[in-house]
Amino acid sequence: MPGAESQFPIDLKKYKKLSLDASKPTLTDEEKKTLLANIQLLRDAIVLFTASGAARGVSGHTGGAYDTVPEVCILLSLFEQSDKYLPIIFDEAGHRVATQYLLSAMDGHIPPEHLMHYREANSKLPGHPELGLTPGVKFSSGRLGHMWPLVNGVALANKDKTVFMLGSDGSQQEGNDAEAARLAVAQNLNVKLFLDDNDVTIAGHPSEYLKGYELPKTLAGHGLKVVTVKGEDIDSLWGGVHEVLSVNGPAALVVKRLMAPGVESIQGSPHGHDVIPVKAAVNYLKSRGYPDSVGELLTNIKGSSNPYLYIGSTRENAANRVRFGEAVSNLLDRYSKEENAKKVMVIDSDLEGSTGLKVIHQRHPEVFVPSGIMERGNFSAAAGFGFDPNKFGVFSTFSAFLEMIVSELTMARLNNCNVLSHFSHSGVDEMADNTCHFGVNSFFGDNGLADLQSWLYFPADAAQMDAIIDRVFFERGIRFVFSTRAKVPWILKEDGQTRFFDNKDYKFEPGKDDVIAEGKAGYVVSYGEMLYRSWDAVLRCRQEGLDVGLINKATLNLVDEQVIKKIGTTKFVLVVESLNQKTGLGSKFGTWLLERQLTPKYGYMGTTREGCGGLQEQIPHQGLDPQAIILKIKQLSH
């Protein structure tokens, strides 16, 4: 039965190396024929192996990589022709990582068969490229807008070379690119941008949600030479390449095309941003004349599962990142649409489907503002709405991007703004996009002075998310709510039946820790998606006679004086979290104990390593699974 271990069925050796001279404005018929054959070959390969990510359940981002194959083939042909080009195809979107892995296979760094393990855990093919992890990968990328400034530096270090970068209309929305454009023009850097302008991002079409944003006008306004071409017309594309390379200095080739052209079911659609479904990939490959056995490679791939049966929590689970939007919507239901529109503004950063804002968009459009991939500006807009003491801004993005708005946070504090920020995809759980998307520096949000309080909340389950939103939504000041990409179960009481937070008696109080279980021997302190794992470990230790307790610290950065005294007078305290061990709760909690002359044995567990890809594999990869927690508990208790 064919599967992921089978020989890669698309023969990459059919790729014909081609040398193209950019000084010539037109292609010969033979050059065009070779180029088109190469493009189709590589596009077929990308559809096949990215669909293995869909089959495995780890996603895969087919469209962007598929789109830009013509530009990639042209660049490879330019590299063949002259050494005046730096032979690296820099790319500011990790979503086109499939291109980098395909090039790695073509260059012999990995066997083509390994491509069918795309984004699989421990395959060294994570969702975004990482330098030093994957053989043949020449740079790390994945946070949009971060590569052009770096490429400018590469150009400054290689003034005798032309340096290329792939980009898109989505990534160019980031403010970093505006700064990079100004430097490139001012220093006349020989940087050439090939920008895939397909009018598609995660949340929809920029032409609809970001009116006024036009890539050619934006770049020309910065002073770049801009050439706009039809991406699926090879003569137009080559003519544009010839034109931008005839310019001394920075230039941009804006490549107009539909997303995933020619791929039925995802062409021109935001669905093309992510991975092509297996069925669609099978149909595509069949239409291309490949035998049924090629499609069977995909249908025979099965996703990994976690057979571990947790105790202390429900088998049922829910996505807290979605629950955030539901909880906010439920609260807004209590008021008229007119009152909501006057008091509340919720702004999106092209991630509404991932961060829960889509629910608010659907149920309360009167408060919703769609916006682009502009985290700094969008956060400040939310804060500015909350400049009035009786108005409240809401902002949301991935937790990794909290690092991008630290300066804006300071300005919001100095202006006494009311803004609630939801950062989803916190920690590392089920983060196939891997290290660049780990949301592990959440405490960067608490960067104000001691006389100003920033509230960091990380609910343990959906019921506690409801309770937190209900309690803090209309509070003044800067507030943060964190959630994970992975779903979490409901926490149960010691009886194994009653939900701890899902009852009428539970009321959330900021700064108040939850005592999940009392313990005389010592305590584990945890929160978020690590609470149910810690509860499992604690219960198993209790079954063995070790009287260890558990604390849920849903307010991360405030000391509950009553609870810290309780746990600090026992034998040990262990903090368990998936945030960065250098900057998370564990790095602070020991100091809080010592400041109160409390001296139990102390330990803390957090994220310490770059990711392994995959989904549920990320937690044990960091040594944060229940068995690792049990081992640490026993070490401290002795």
Side-chain angles (χ1 to χ4, degrees), residues 613-626:
L615 296 175
Q616 71 271 4
E617 295 89 353
Q618 294 282 16
I619 291 293
H621 176 71
Q622 298 294 340
L624 295 173
D625 56 284

mmCIF file with all atom_site columns, all heavy atoms in Angstrom, residues 613-626:
data_model
loop_
_atom_site.group_PDB
_atom_site.id
_atom_site.type_symbol
_atom_site.label_atom_id
_atom_site.label_alt_id
_atom_site.label_comp_id
_atom_site.label_asym_id
_atom_site.label_entity_id
_atom_site.label_seq_id
_atom_site.pdbx_PDB_ins_code
_atom_site.Cartn_x
_atom_site.Cartn_y
_atom_site.Cartn_z
_atom_site.occupancy
_atom_site.B_iso_or_equiv
_atom_site.pdbx_formal_charge
_atom_site.auth_seq_id
_atom_site.auth_comp_id
_atom_site.auth_asym_id
_atom_site.auth_atom_id
_atom_site.pdbx_PDB_model_num
ATOM 1   N N   . GLY A 1 613 ? 7.956  20.830 15.367 1.00 0.00 ? 613 GLY A N   1
ATOM 2   C CA  . GLY A 1 613 ? 6.889  20.698 14.389 1.00 0.00 ? 613 GLY A CA  1
ATOM 3   C C   . GLY A 1 613 ? 5.768  19.816 14.912 1.00 0.00 ? 613 GLY A C   1
ATOM 4   O O   . GLY A 1 613 ? 5.708  19.478 16.091 1.00 0.00 ? 613 GLY A O   1
ATOM 5   N N   . GLY A 1 614 ? 4.859  19.453 14.021 1.00 0.00 ? 614 GLY A N   1
ATOM 6   C CA  . GLY A 1 614 ? 3.746  18.611 14.452 1.00 0.00 ? 614 GLY A CA  1
ATOM 7   C C   . GLY A 1 614 ? 2.757  19.384 15.300 1.00 0.00 ? 614 GLY A C   1
ATOM 8   O O   . GLY A 1 614 ? 2.693  20.607 15.270 1.00 0.00 ? 614 GLY A O   1
ATOM 9   N N   . LEU A 1 615 ? 1.961  18.647 16.085 1.00 0.00 ? 615 LEU A N   1
ATOM 10  C CA  . LEU A 1 615 ? 0.914  19.267 16.894 1.00 0.00 ? 615 LEU A CA  1
ATOM 11  C C   . LEU A 1 615 ? 1.100  18.960 18.372 1.00 0.00 ? 615 LEU A C   1
ATOM 12  O O   . LEU A 1 615 ? 1.860  19.637 19.056 1.00 0.00 ? 615 LEU A O   1
ATOM 13  C CB  . LEU A 1 615 ? -0.455 18.792 16.393 1.00 0.00 ? 615 LEU A CB  1
ATOM 14  C CG  . LEU A 1 615 ? -0.812 19.221 14.960 1.00 0.00 ? 615 LEU A CG  1
ATOM 15  C CD1 . LEU A 1 615 ? -2.131 18.603 14.533 1.00 0.00 ? 615 LEU A CD1 1
ATOM 16  C CD2 . LEU A 1 615 ? -0.876 20.736 14.849 1.00 0.00 ? 615 LEU A CD2 1
ATOM 17  N N   . GLN A 1 616 ? 0.444  17.898 18.858 1.00 0.00 ? 616 GLN A N   1
ATOM 18  C CA  . GLN A 1 616 ? 0.533  17.590 20.284 1.00 0.00 ? 616 GLN A CA  1
ATOM 19  C C   . GLN A 1 616 ? 1.939  17.168 20.695 1.00 0.00 ? 616 GLN A C   1
ATOM 20  O O   . GLN A 1 616 ? 2.261  17.103 21.883 1.00 0.00 ? 616 GLN A O   1
ATOM 21  C CB  . GLN A 1 616 ? -0.480 16.507 20.680 1.00 0.00 ? 616 GLN A CB  1
ATOM 22  C CG  . GLN A 1 616 ? -0.161 15.115 20.175 1.00 0.00 ? 616 GLN A CG  1
ATOM 23  C CD  . GLN A 1 616 ? -0.749 14.845 18.813 1.00 0.00 ? 616 GLN A CD  1
ATOM 24  O OE1 . GLN A 1 616 ? -1.349 15.728 18.199 1.00 0.00 ? 616 GLN A OE1 1
ATOM 25  N NE2 . GLN A 1 616 ? -0.608 13.637 18.323 1.00 0.00 ? 616 GLN A NE2 1
ATOM 26  N N   . GLU A 1 617 ? 2.805  16.922 19.718 1.00 0.00 ? 617 GLU A N   1
ATOM 27  C CA  . GLU A 1 617 ? 4.181  16.515 20.028 1.00 0.00 ? 617 GLU A CA  1
ATOM 28  C C   . GLU A 1 617 ? 5.005  17.651 20.644 1.00 0.00 ? 617 GLU A C   1
ATOM 29  O O   . GLU A 1 617 ? 6.038  17.411 21.270 1.00 0.00 ? 617 GLU A O   1
ATOM 30  C CB  . GLU A 1 617 ? 4.878  16.027 18.754 1.00 0.00 ? 617 GLU A CB  1
ATOM 31  C CG  . GLU A 1 617 ? 4.289  14.759 18.147 1.00 0.00 ? 617 GLU A CG  1
ATOM 32  C CD  . GLU A 1 617 ? 3.167  15.024 17.160 1.00 0.00 ? 617 GLU A CD  1
ATOM 33  O OE1 . GLU A 1 617 ? 2.739  16.201 17.036 1.00 0.00 ? 617 GLU A OE1 1
ATOM 34  O OE2 . GLU A 1 617 ? 2.707  14.072 16.503 1.00 0.00 ? 617 GLU A OE2 1
ATOM 35  N N   . GLN A 1 618 ? 4.556  18.892 20.460 1.00 0.00 ? 618 GLN A N   1
ATOM 36  C CA  . GLN A 1 618 ? 5.350  20.016 20.955 1.00 0.00 ? 618 GLN A CA  1
ATOM 37  C C   . GLN A 1 618 ? 5.486  20.010 22.476 1.00 0.00 ? 618 GLN A C   1
ATOM 38  O O   . GLN A 1 618 ? 6.548  20.361 23.008 1.00 0.00 ? 618 GLN A O   1
ATOM 39  C CB  . GLN A 1 618 ? 4.707  21.348 20.506 1.00 0.00 ? 618 GLN A CB  1
ATOM 40  C CG  . GLN A 1 618 ? 4.712  21.594 19.009 1.00 0.00 ? 618 GLN A CG  1
ATOM 41  C CD  . GLN A 1 618 ? 6.060  22.070 18.471 1.00 0.00 ? 618 GLN A CD  1
ATOM 42  O OE1 . GLN A 1 618 ? 7.085  21.960 19.130 1.00 0.00 ? 618 GLN A OE1 1
ATOM 43  N NE2 . GLN A 1 618 ? 6.047  22.591 17.256 1.00 0.00 ? 618 GLN A NE2 1
ATOM 44  N N   . ILE A 1 619 ? 4.440  19.629 23.190 1.00 0.00 ? 619 ILE A N   1
ATOM 45  C CA  . ILE A 1 619 ? 4.480  19.651 24.660 1.00 0.00 ? 619 ILE A CA  1
ATOM 46  C C   . ILE A 1 619 ? 5.497  18.638 25.218 1.00 0.00 ? 619 ILE A C   1
ATOM 47  O O   . ILE A 1 619 ? 6.373  19.014 26.005 1.00 0.00 ? 619 ILE A O   1
ATOM 48  C CB  . ILE A 1 619 ? 3.078  19.434 25.251 1.00 0.00 ? 619 ILE A CB  1
ATOM 49  C CG1 . ILE A 1 619 ? 2.192  20.649 24.968 1.00 0.00 ? 619 ILE A CG1 1
ATOM 50  C CG2 . ILE A 1 619 ? 3.155  19.152 26.751 1.00 0.00 ? 619 ILE A CG2 1
ATOM 51  C CD1 . ILE A 1 619 ? 2.588  21.924 25.679 1.00 0.00 ? 619 ILE A CD1 1
ATOM 52  N N   . PRO A 1 620 ? 5.437  17.363 24.847 1.00 0.00 ? 620 PRO A N   1
ATOM 53  C CA  . PRO A 1 620 ? 6.468  16.436 25.349 1.00 0.00 ? 620 PRO A CA  1
ATOM 54  C C   . PRO A 1 620 ? 7.868  16.789 24.843 1.00 0.00 ? 620 PRO A C   1
ATOM 55  O O   . PRO A 1 620 ? 8.857  16.503 25.533 1.00 0.00 ? 620 PRO A O   1
ATOM 56  C CB  . PRO A 1 620 ? 6.004  15.061 24.842 1.00 0.00 ? 620 PRO A CB  1
ATOM 57  C CG  . PRO A 1 620 ? 5.009  15.339 23.767 1.00 0.00 ? 620 PRO A CG  1
ATOM 58  C CD  . PRO A 1 620 ? 4.377  16.645 24.113 1.00 0.00 ? 620 PRO A CD  1
ATOM 59  N N   . HIS A 1 621 ? 7.956  17.386 23.662 1.00 0.00 ? 621 HIS A N   1
ATOM 60  C CA  . HIS A 1 621 ? 9.262  17.814 23.152 1.00 0.00 ? 621 HIS A CA  1
ATOM 61  C C   . HIS A 1 621 ? 9.919  18.817 24.103 1.00 0.00 ? 621 HIS A C   1
ATOM 62  O O   . HIS A 1 621 ? 11.150 18.831 24.250 1.00 0.00 ? 621 HIS A O   1
ATOM 63  C CB  . HIS A 1 621 ? 9.081  18.428 21.766 1.00 0.00 ? 621 HIS A CB  1
ATOM 64  C CG  . HIS A 1 621 ? 10.339 18.988 21.172 1.00 0.00 ? 621 HIS A CG  1
ATOM 65  N ND1 . HIS A 1 621 ? 11.372 18.201 20.718 1.00 0.00 ? 621 HIS A ND1 1
ATOM 66  C CD2 . HIS A 1 621 ? 10.734 20.286 20.949 1.00 0.00 ? 621 HIS A CD2 1
ATOM 67  C CE1 . HIS A 1 621 ? 12.341 18.954 20.246 1.00 0.00 ? 621 HIS A CE1 1
ATOM 68  N NE2 . HIS A 1 621 ? 11.979 20.224 20.374 1.00 0.00 ? 621 HIS A NE2 1
ATOM 69  N N   . GLN A 1 622 ? 9.104  19.629 24.770 1.00 0.00 ? 622 GLN A N   1
ATOM 70  C CA  . GLN A 1 622 ? 9.627  20.593 25.735 1.00 0.00 ? 622 GLN A CA  1
ATOM 71  C C   . GLN A 1 622 ? 9.781  19.995 27.134 1.00 0.00 ? 622 GLN A C   1
ATOM 72  O O   . GLN A 1 622 ? 10.202 20.702 28.060 1.00 0.00 ? 622 GLN A O   1
ATOM 73  C CB  . GLN A 1 622 ? 8.694  21.819 25.817 1.00 0.00 ? 622 GLN A CB  1
ATOM 74  C CG  . GLN A 1 622 ? 8.561  22.586 24.521 1.00 0.00 ? 622 GLN A CG  1
ATOM 75  C CD  . GLN A 1 622 ? 9.843  23.271 24.080 1.00 0.00 ? 622 GLN A CD  1
ATOM 76  O OE1 . GLN A 1 622 ? 10.748 23.499 24.887 1.00 0.00 ? 622 GLN A OE1 1
ATOM 77  N NE2 . GLN A 1 622 ? 9.932  23.598 22.795 1.00 0.00 ? 622 GLN A NE2 1
ATOM 78  N N   . GLY A 1 623 ? 9.463  18.706 27.293 1.00 0.00 ? 623 GLY A N   1
ATOM 79  C CA  . GLY A 1 623 ? 9.530  18.091 28.616 1.00 0.00 ? 623 GLY A CA  1
ATOM 80  C C   . GLY A 1 623 ? 8.449  18.597 29.540 1.00 0.00 ? 623 GLY A C   1
ATOM 81  O O   . GLY A 1 623 ? 8.682  18.791 30.746 1.00 0.00 ? 623 GLY A O   1
ATOM 82  N N   . LEU A 1 624 ? 7.229  18.809 28.996 1.00 0.00 ? 624 LEU A N   1
ATOM 83  C CA  . LEU A 1 624 ? 6.132  19.362 29.780 1.00 0.00 ? 624 LEU A CA  1
ATOM 84  C C   . LEU A 1 624 ? 4.930  18.429 29.864 1.00 0.00 ? 624 LEU A C   1
ATOM 85  O O   . LEU A 1 624 ? 3.858  18.841 30.294 1.00 0.00 ? 624 LEU A O   1
ATOM 86  C CB  . LEU A 1 624 ? 5.694  20.702 29.170 1.00 0.00 ? 624 LEU A CB  1
ATOM 87  C CG  . LEU A 1 624 ? 6.728  21.827 29.217 1.00 0.00 ? 624 LEU A CG  1
ATOM 88  C CD1 . LEU A 1 624 ? 6.241  23.040 28.424 1.00 0.00 ? 624 LEU A CD1 1
ATOM 89  C CD2 . LEU A 1 624 ? 7.046  22.229 30.654 1.00 0.00 ? 624 LEU A CD2 1
ATOM 90  N N   . ASP A 1 625 ? 5.093  17.176 29.471 1.00 0.00 ? 625 ASP A N   1
ATOM 91  C CA  . ASP A 1 625 ? 4.002  16.212 29.557 1.00 0.00 ? 625 ASP A CA  1
ATOM 92  C C   . ASP A 1 625 ? 3.811  15.782 31.008 1.00 0.00 ? 625 ASP A C   1
ATOM 93  O O   . ASP A 1 625 ? 4.679  16.014 31.870 1.00 0.00 ? 625 ASP A O   1
ATOM 94  C CB  . ASP A 1 625 ? 4.317  15.007 28.676 1.00 0.00 ? 625 ASP A CB  1
ATOM 95  C CG  . ASP A 1 625 ? 5.647  14.376 29.027 1.00 0.00 ? 625 ASP A CG  1
ATOM 96  O OD1 . ASP A 1 625 ? 6.696  14.951 28.647 1.00 0.00 ? 625 ASP A OD1 1
ATOM 97  O OD2 . ASP A 1 625 ? 5.663  13.338 29.716 1.00 0.00 ? 625 ASP A OD2 1
ATOM 98  N N   . PRO A 1 626 ? 2.666  15.173 31.336 1.00 0.00 ? 626 PRO A N   1
ATOM 99  C CA  . PRO A 1 626 ? 2.396  14.805 32.735 1.00 0.00 ? 626 PRO A CA  1
ATOM 100 C C   . PRO A 1 626 ? 3.480  13.950 33.382 1.00 0.00 ? 626 PRO A C   1
ATOM 101 O O   . PRO A 1 626 ? 3.791  14.134 34.568 1.00 0.00 ? 626 PRO A O   1
ATOM 102 C CB  . PRO A 1 626 ? 1.064  14.055 32.641 1.00 0.00 ? 626 PRO A CB  1
ATOM 103 C CG  . PRO A 1 626 ? 0.376  14.668 31.465 1.00 0.00 ? 626 PRO A CG  1
ATOM 104 C CD  . PRO A 1 626 ? 1.475  14.941 30.485 1.00 0.00 ? 626 PRO A CD  1
#
